[in-house]
Amino acid sequence: MDLGLRDRVALVAGSSRGLGRAIADELASEGSRLLICSRGGEGLTAAAEDIRSRYGVPVVAVGADLSEERGIREVVDAALGEYGRVDVLVTNTGGPPAGTFVEHSMEVWREAIRQNLESVLGLVRGVLPGMQERGWGRIINVTSIAVKQPVDGLILSNSIRAAVTGFARTLANEVAMQGITVNNVMPGYTRTERLGELAQRIARDRGISQEAAFRQWEAEIPMGRLGHPTELAALVAFLASERAEYITGASIPVDGGWIRALV
């Protein structure tokens, strides 16, 4: 299936590893030109080099902290300076710390809001005018299954990703007539570095092994296994495509059936 993504410009946040990296790979395999970003380091440079060599597409890598306005400006300016436009925006940031309400200070809440909500608002604000001018665009937010079914011990993620969902659903209506779609993808328990960190915390708190923590999650999933980043990435590529032009305002789980809700 030709998704119509060849030579589209995609800005993929948090893309040096994990879900963001898998999404960047998937879009590159469809011929998209990329701007990838993370807080920097050798991992980001290595990711850019690997994507260029494997897929033969242009890749710009920018080390920036998206919880700061300056970092958002650097990323957007780099994309517009190199390519002149952004057709596809994928917002994706690392999950905030695990813990209960009483464990988190107000400063931890503020940092989580900056990282997981304000970064989305800033990136959208930076690329939306160009999409409106051209009459085409795709905005895809990586949120979480916690939006539909809260996860114990993840009160920050449960709360703030729900705010992103409300923003995206409202924005989808505002820009639908301008050829722009806005959707959310909700990854379930997926084998990433982030999930490994959560498993370590659970293992420590419950006095079990990390693999035992993984098995507990697998037991909750009807498919009986954890997800792979490539499975979420395939959905993102479709939502970014020409074929998905009538899908907007949706929040779609990729969770092996974990969410028990009817809708």
Side-chain angles (χ1 to χ4, degrees), residues 156-180:
L156 293 172
S157 184
N158 296 345
S159 304
I160 298 165
R161 295 196 192 281
V164 172
T165 302
F167 160 72
R169 185 63 190 88
T170 308
L171 180 66
N173 288 351
E174 294 180 1
V175 300
M177 291 290 290
Q178 300 167 359
I180 302 165

Side-chain angles (χ1 to χ4, degrees), residues 198-213:
L198 290 176
Q200 287 178 350
R201 176 188 170 94
I202 289 173
R204 183 178 65 251
D205 292 346
R206 299 180 184 175
I208 60 177
S209 69
Q210 185 180 37
E211 281 306 312

Side-chain angles (χ1 to χ4, degrees), residues 114-193:
R114 287 192 293 267
Q115 177 179 334
N116 296 105
L117 175 60
E118 292 183 7
S119 65
V120 175
L121 304 181
L123 288 170
V124 171
R125 191 176 297 279
V127 305
L128 183 61
M131 293 179 175
Q132 292 173 310
E133 186 177 306
R134 293 184 298 277
W136 199 95
R138 300 286 187 265
I139 297 170
I140 303 160
N141 306 300
V142 179
T143 60
S144 169
I145 50 173
V147 168
K148 285 264 188 175
Q149 188 171 313
V151 178
D152 291 343
L154 294 182
I155 192 168
L156 293 172
S157 184
N158 296 345
S159 304
I160 298 165
R161 295 196 192 281
V164 172
T165 302
F167 160 72
R169 185 63 190 88
T170 308
L171 180 66
N173 288 351
E174 294 180 1
V175 300
M177 291 290 290
Q178 300 167 359
I180 302 165
T181 65
V182 185
N183 292 291
N184 307 308
V185 293
M186 301 185 295
Y189 290 105
T190 307
R191 278 198 178 268
T192 62
E193 294 87 344

Side-chain angles (χ1 to χ4, degrees), residues 1-6 30 241-243:
M1 180 187 295
D2 182 3
L3 295 180
L5 288 170
R6 184 162 299 281
E30 294 290 333
S241 74
E242 299 279 359
R243 300 296 186 97

Side-chain angles (χ1 to χ4, degrees), residues 7-12 28 31-37 48 51-52 56-62 75-88 127 134:
D7 293 327
R8 291 288 189 188
V9 176
L11 192 168
V12 184
S32 296
R33 296 180 283 172
L34 297 179
L35 184 139
I36 65 173
C37 64
I51 294 170
R52 288 190 202 102
V57 298
V59 182
V60 174
V62 179
V75 168
V76 173
D77 288 349
L80 298 180
E82 180 68 23
Y83 300 119
R85 69 181 197 273
V86 172
D87 301 306
V88 177
V127 305
R134 293 184 298 277

